[in-house]
Amino acid sequence: MSIPTNPDVLIVGGGPAGALLGCLLARRGVHVLVVEKQQTLDRDFRGETLAAPSVVTLRRLGFGPALDSHGYLETTAVSMRMEGQEVLHVDYGRFGLGALPIDIPQPGLIGLFHDAAAGLPNYAYAPGTTCTALTENDGAVTGARLRDRDGNRVTVTARLVVGADGRFSKVRKEAGLQAEITPQQRDFLSFKLPRPADWGQHAELVVNHDKHLVVLPTWPDYLRVGHNLPKRGLGELRRRGIEAFRAGIAGIDPRLGPLVEEHVRTWDDTGFLEIFTAEMEQWARDGLILIGDASHTCTPILGQGVNLAIQDVVMITPVIAAALGRGTGPVPATAFDSFVAVRRRHKNRVTRFQRMQEKALAQHKPAKVWVRRARFRTLNRLPLKYVVFGKVINAPHPVDPADLRTGAEAAPTPAAPSAA
């Protein structure tokens, strides 16, 4: 395909944030180009859980029929077991949001955003295309230099470049925007297992002193398991061998022992994730804005990455549309001041909660382990637990009426019932 060289908005990164933003802007009549360095969506993703507010928002935006057509798995609750004892249980139905969190593979989610925008004449998607540099004039970003999947180099001019290219953002680096990187005490190794028929649909955090597993039911019939390991501990783990790793998993949760023995045969059956947070003083320049993990990277605790990205998108879409309606040059950074202030406050709250949880999970001394268990038991007995969790995972999404209207127009009309 021929890459448009003069869109209104160039979005670098075709993950959930970039794909959804491209769709919403194109629905508003904005000329959008979304570029993604991967040629296909046929790759492994970790963030596959959508919090209930994200589900509600996507349905309000007209994506409900596509979600239902693809299929997903509802998550009914989350529980925490420490040293063999359940210390916390949160029933997601108690939040009364009209939806439960769902698990849907990211390729399917991203695909339905692209499908919804594909028929719009002002939308273009270029997979296999890499951003190699930004272009500038008088200190403002004016576009980017790209390399397409055939190796051709293309210069694109745009009034706004959106960096939606993740935790290792190339756009962020090329823009000279500095991130404060804070490594966490531990990293993460993940793998998938077939989900037993009687397992249920609730997420679990299984903790044994300073070791833990996150066990998530995953669509259609898997368990997605994450296991912590010491920072820079992957080499030592591999040196000990896959058998020792499997035994360690079974030691934390014996229910997984037979499944791990059968299905985690080599290290190729696992995926490594380095855990850190990245916080930035500056998210925008004239002609450029960062969203999603590119602007503020969180840890995997409570699976907030995708949901924070969706919140970013629904809030920034009307801001971009309004800014494009003023003037003709690069969108000024000041247009995003309010957006950045609001989103920074929420993301900082999420990060503080995640760091607090990580600190608690890293305890290994017997006395501190006992205190940790007692604290979670106490929280479990109080209605306060729904307030605490709700502030982190159920922040409302301020969806603009214009996006609700275009979503309603784009959603398929249900077929009328046939006459008897």
Side-chain angles (χ1 to χ4, degrees):
M1 122 182 185
S2 177
I3 294 178
T5 57
N6 195 29
D8 297 318
V9 177
L10 167 63
I11 300 172
V12 180
L20 178 58
L21 180 60
C23 179
L24 297 187
L25 288 174
R27 284 178 175 178
R28 284 174 173 255
V30 176
H31 287 263
V32 179
L33 169 62
V34 179
V35 300
E36 164 57 44
K37 66 180 180 181
Q38 302 293 336
Q39 293 203 30
T40 73
L41 296 175
D42 185 19
R43 59 191 189 276
D44 185 50
F45 294 86
R46 294 179 183 85
E48 298 184 342
T49 300
L50 295 181
S54 296
V55 178
V56 172
T57 291
L58 292 182
R59 290 191 176 281
R60 295 177 72 200
L61 290 170
F63 297 107
L67 286 170
D68 295 337
S69 177
H70 180 279
Y72 51 81
L73 179 72
E74 291 185 325
T75 305
T76 58
V78 60
S79 63
M80 182 182 295
R81 291 193 292 124
M82 291 183 171
E83 293 75 50
Q85 305 171 35
E86 183 171 285
V87 297
L88 182 70
H89 182 85
V90 176
D91 178 359
Y92 287 135
R94 290 277 300 274
F95 289 112
L97 299 177
L100 294 172
I102 67 171
D103 190 279
I104 179 171
Q106 272 200 29
L109 181 68
I110 296 168
L112 66 89
F113 296 152
H114 286 314
D115 290 346
L120 300 174
N122 51 322
Y123 174 84
Y125 174 54
T129 301
T130 304
C131 172
T132 60
L134 299 176
T135 58
E136 300 186 26
N137 184 35
D138 291 334
V141 175
T142 57
R145 295 188 180 91
L146 309 177
R147 184 175 61 247
D148 71 13
R149 57 188 170 189
D150 296 321
N152 301 313
R153 296 185 181 275
V154 181
T155 298
V156 171
T157 300
R159 293 187 59 196
L160 180 68
V161 175
V162 180
D165 51 342
R167 63 209 302 261
F168 299 108
S169 173
K170 172 73 170 179
V171 172
R172 184 175 70 199
K173 179 180 178 181
E174 290 297 319
L177 299 179
Q178 300 300 314
E180 181 181 347
I181 306 296
T182 305
Q184 299 303 289
Q185 297 181 39
R186 306 178 300 170
D187 290 324
F188 223 52
L189 206 65
S190 61
F191 52 92
K192 281 187 175 181
L193 301 170
R195 177 162 49 94
D198 60 349
W199 190 271
Q201 292 178 221
H202 67 283
E204 296 187 40
L205 180 61
V206 185
V207 184
N208 186 5
H209 294 83
D210 61 344
K211 297 180 174 60
H212 76 265
L213 300 174
V214 179
V215 186
L216 305 173
T218 298
W219 188 90
D221 51 9
Y222 293 97
L223 294 175
R224 184 154 37 96
V225 183
H227 173 49
N228 71 284
L229 62 154
K231 183 66 69 175
R232 293 178 293 278
L234 182 60
E236 172 61 20
L237 186 69
R238 290 193 169 197
R239 187 190 65 77
R240 291 169 53 202
I242 195 72
E243 296 82 2
F245 173 69
R246 291 196 296 255
I249 299 299
I252 301 171
D253 191 340
R255 298 172 301 170
L256 298 179
L259 293 172
V260 173
E261 186 69 28
E262 181 177 359
H263 296 284
V264 181
R265 305 304 303 166
T266 73
W267 296 113
D268 291 339
D269 297 321
T270 68
F272 174 74
L273 180 66
E274 181 185 3
I275 306 300
F276 61 85
T277 59
E279 298 170 89
M280 302 183 60
E281 183 65 29
Q282 182 181 356
W283 296 13
R285 287 181 51 190
D286 291 346
L288 180 139
I289 182 68
L290 302 177
I291 64 172
D293 275 352
S295 66
H296 190 294
T297 305
C298 296
T299 77
I301 291 177
L302 291 179
Q304 286 298 289
V306 175
N307 299 289
L308 291 172
I310 291 174
Q311 290 169 359
D312 281 355
V313 169
V314 297
M315 183 171 179
I316 204 171
T317 297
V319 176
I320 292 175
L324 291 172
R326 300 188 293 267
T328 57
V331 173
T334 54
F336 302 107
D337 286 350
S338 178
F339 163 80
V340 171
V342 172
R343 296 304 298 139
R344 176 181 280 122
R345 282 196 297 270
H346 177 60
K347 291 186 177 186
N348 285 347
R349 183 187 306 130
V350 171
T351 299
R352 286 195 300 271
F353 181 86
Q354 290 181 326
R355 287 174 177 167
M356 179 180 69
Q357 291 294 92
E358 173 60 23
K359 183 178 179 181
L361 293 174
Q363 300 295 341
H364 64 279
K365 295 182 179 179
K368 291 187 176 182
V369 168
W370 183 90
V371 170
R372 176 184 65 186
R373 200 163 52 238
R375 284 177 175 171
F376 277 99
R377 279 206 195 97
T378 300
L379 177 62
N380 192 48
R381 290 194 291 267
L382 301 174
L384 177 66
K385 68 182 178 182
Y386 287 98
V387 176
V388 172
F389 275 81
K391 286 183 177 180
V392 177
I393 66 175
N394 290 330
H397 297 188
V399 185
D400 191 80
D403 294 311
L404 295 178
R405 184 171 59 254
T406 58
E409 293 169 353
T413 303
S418 59

